[in-house]
Amino acid sequence: MKKPVLIFTQIRQVAGTLLLVASLALLQACGSDGKKESRTEDALEKTGDAISADTKDATEEAKEDLKEAGDKAKDKSEEMSADFKRERDEAVAKMQVQKEKLDAKIDELKAKADKQSDKAKAETERQKAKLEEERKELSADIDNAKNATADAWQDVKKGFKRAGRDIGDAFDKAGEKLKKE
């Protein structure tokens, strides 16, 4: 009967050895890595570091995006400035043409007035005076246009459109009077 005791003893020794190995494995797994803080604190610290790194990256990206937006805004501003200058120069050139036409009409009225009767001459002189006033206003508008800033340009353009209609009406009326006579 010694054999069952022997087998039982051997089983106990093997079981004890297995328990010892399992205990050591668990101790190793749960043990610290030499730090005096827990694994949770270590994980929180690593998470904080990761968040700081992500924040730094996001801040850098935001700065780059802002710089790009600033560059685009600057480019658009320069483009608008160039458009404004081109538009202003075209408007001034058109007004100069209108002024030349106005001068020609005034000269034509002066020539006609010399050949007209006193009654017709008075009407022609009235039309000529009106055209000269329009010419004076147009000269002032040309000066305003040449010196207009981009901010004031929209207001100046509205004034030009109104003045252009007035000058066109004055031309039409003077032309009708000249044709009748």
Side-chain angles (χ1 to χ4, degrees):
M1 285 242 124
K2 270 186 162 181
K3 275 191 171 185
V5 173
L6 185 63
I7 291 178
F8 182 68
T9 308
Q10 285 179 341
I11 291 176
R12 250 178 53 198
Q13 286 177 349
V14 169
T17 305
L18 284 174
L19 281 173
L20 181 62
V21 169
S23 299
L24 288 173
L26 285 173
L27 277 173
Q28 181 66 24
C30 293
S32 75
D33 51 2
K35 296 181 181 177
K36 292 189 176 189
E37 55 189 29
S38 71
R39 290 186 184 272
T40 304
E41 291 171 334
D42 193 33
L44 285 174
E45 183 179 311
K46 289 179 182 177
T47 302
D49 292 344
I51 290 172
S52 294
D54 288 346
T55 302
K56 183 178 178 183
D57 291 345
T59 301
E60 290 299 319
E61 287 177 20
K63 285 180 182 177
E64 288 176 23
D65 290 346
L66 283 174
K67 185 178 184 303
E68 287 176 22
D71 290 344
K72 287 180 182 177
K74 182 181 176 187
D75 292 344
K76 188 66 176 174
S77 175
E78 289 172 357
E79 180 182 323
M80 289 174 63
S81 177
D83 287 347
F84 149 71
K85 289 177 183 174
R86 179 190 46 76
E87 188 177 279
R88 181 184 65 186
D89 291 345
E90 287 174 2
V92 168
K94 287 178 183 178
M95 287 188 292
Q96 290 288 7
V97 169
Q98 282 183 328
K99 184 178 169 188
E100 290 168 8
K101 288 179 181 178
L102 199 51
D103 287 341
K105 283 285 187 188
I106 291 170
D107 291 342
E108 188 178 332
L109 285 174
K110 285 179 184 176
K112 292 272 183 178
D114 293 340
K115 300 176 186 175
Q116 294 177 326
S117 66
D118 289 340
K119 184 178 178 185
K121 189 183 260 187
E123 179 61 27
T124 301
E125 287 296 324
R126 190 183 67 74
Q127 287 295 324
K128 185 181 83 157
K130 187 172 182 180
L131 289 177
E132 286 173 341
E133 182 62 31
E134 294 288 336
R135 183 190 185 286
K136 181 180 173 185
E137 289 175 14
L138 183 59
S139 292
D141 287 344
I142 290 171
D143 290 339
N144 286 338
K146 286 179 180 178
N147 299 318
T149 63
D151 294 334
W153 180 243
Q154 295 304 320
D155 292 334
V156 171
K157 275 191 344 184
K158 287 177 189 174
F160 293 154
K161 288 178 184 176
R162 191 170 39 255
R165 283 191 296 270
D166 293 344
I167 291 172
D169 292 345
F171 274 145
D172 293 342
K173 288 177 185 175
E176 289 172 15
K177 297 281 184 184
L178 287 173
K179 286 179 185 175
K180 289 179 184 177
E181 298 166 2

